[in-house]
Amino acid sequence: MNITEEKIDNLNSLVKISIKPEDYLQSVEKAIKAQAKKAKLPGFREGLVPASHIKKVYGKSILVDQVNTLLNDSIKQYITDSKLNILGQPLPHADTEKHNWDLSDEFEFKYEVGLAPSFELDFSDKDSIPYYTIKIDNETLESRIKNIRKSYGKMTNPEVSSENDVLYAELTQLSADGSVFDDAIRATNSVRIDLVSNDEVKKSLIGLKIGDVIEFDIQKAFDHDSFQVSKILKIDEVDAKDLTSNFQMTVKNVNRLDESDLNQEFFDKVFGEGIVTTEEQFREKITGELEAMMVQNSETKFQSDLVKYTIGKYEMQLPDEFLMRWLKVTNKDLSDEDLQKGYADFANNLRWTLVADKVVKENQIEIKYEDVFESAKIKLGAQLSMYSPQAITDETLSDYTVQFLQNQESASKSFDEVKTRKVFDYLKSVITLDSQDIEYNKFLLLD
């Protein structure tokens, strides 16, 4: 066997593999004998089919399998021995000649190989990325306080509806001429007026009393949000998406959730007896809780900004034509249109991955099983606590985590999450974090 590499440019190579009969004949004969021992063919007893007959009937397909196995093993070994930093997987070259697949043939195969670009890491304190400490603006604070007061408030039934009320109503589908028909969709459910996005429809729902009947366009009301429509009408979301009918609404009740008073009884319900005693303390407590919740938002923003900065910092070229061909080969359902739309994001993700991998390698960052296990355990614990009313013991959670990591896909994802976190932690220790305070409403406007 002979393997040679022709370097097309810094990002592309052509690997040629020449195979002679002595490279594959022994493995082919071995495979033929193995097939003969287990073959079930008419006219022969099981396990007693002559190897010559197997060779005559299946020889070509066995040859192809053995040669392909030899090729795969050989090119993998060549890439390892030559220390090629490849992207994707080698692709058969379009000019590879067709073979007769005769047992005395010599074969030559050509493979295109995409190479990762060379670059040097040079992160330092000269690299500066904003790191935001999110402060709660007054509008966000008031909205949160209002929701909490409503959560502990009392339900009343006013005579006439207002914009923050809930209409308990009977909804009936109408035909094109405005009449009710036999197979019409019917549902009795609550409709929150504050969730209605269309101002015209919302206005028509204000000022209604028990027994009032109106006609309205439910798709228009919720801006064609099929989830909301399906929930109100108690139908499948797919069916809700295709609805074009108007609906008749008959008001059965008007519900209003009055906000709880800011008194000691309310403070005790929210935080426990005697922990908060004044409105000022209450507001400070809510502000602190909200700002603690925003720490993850800040970290996510920093990581996103660092990835964008890194991609721009290195501006590395990629073997784009090769990678696009590789994506098409490995994703049979990928259309040319989708490939063109999604390739830029794919390429940028690949650039970041190359940098992250180099950070790990050059700084000897270890990703230990213990780290992966603990990370997966915390994540599973958070998920399970959402669905289990009872506390899960540490031993049970550990058992779940072991089972979870036995799945290769889950283990790989957990490993990547830990690796990514360690890369960000390292880079945070090297670059300059430009600490900035920002109000939450302004933070939401950042790119």
Side-chain angles (χ1 to χ4, degrees), residues 250-308:
T250 303
V251 179
K252 299 175 76 68
N253 208 348
V254 179
N255 299 320
R256 178 175 299 168
L257 189 60
D258 291 328
E259 296 177 15
S260 176
D261 293 330
L262 290 172
N263 53 28
Q264 191 60 49
E265 181 184 3
F266 170 68
F267 298 151
D268 290 346
K269 285 180 180 178
V270 177
F271 293 110
E273 189 173 347
I275 294 176
V276 170
T277 57
T278 66
E279 183 177 340
E280 182 181 3
Q281 290 178 346
F282 172 74
R283 299 175 76 86
E284 288 176 356
K285 197 84 170 172
I286 298 301
T287 299
E289 288 183 351
L290 286 172
E291 289 181 350
M293 291 167 58
M294 297 302 162
V295 171
Q296 185 56 50
N297 297 56
S298 178
E299 181 66 20
T300 300
K301 173 63 177 169
F302 165 76
Q303 292 179 4
S304 175
D305 287 345
L306 179 54
V307 170
K308 290 178 184 176

Side-chain angles (χ1 to χ4, degrees), residues 3-63:
I3 303 180
T4 59
E5 180 186 357
E6 178 187 341
K7 201 161 187 180
I8 308 302
D9 54 40
N10 290 334
L11 299 173
N12 296 275
S13 279
L14 187 65
V15 176
K16 297 180 182 178
I17 302 178
S18 298
I19 299 177
K20 295 181 179 180
E22 56 263 32
D23 297 318
Y24 60 78
L25 278 178
Q26 186 175 353
S27 62
V28 169
E29 294 296 334
K30 185 178 179 180
I32 287 174
K33 290 177 181 178
Q35 182 73 13
K37 289 181 180 180
K38 62 182 180 181
K40 296 180 181 179
L41 296 177
F44 299 96
R45 292 175 64 184
E46 183 178 347
L48 296 177
V49 181
S52 59
H53 186 75
I54 295 295
K55 186 174 183 178
K56 180 180 179 181
V57 177
Y58 301 110
K60 183 176 290 187
S61 62
I62 292 174
L63 170 64

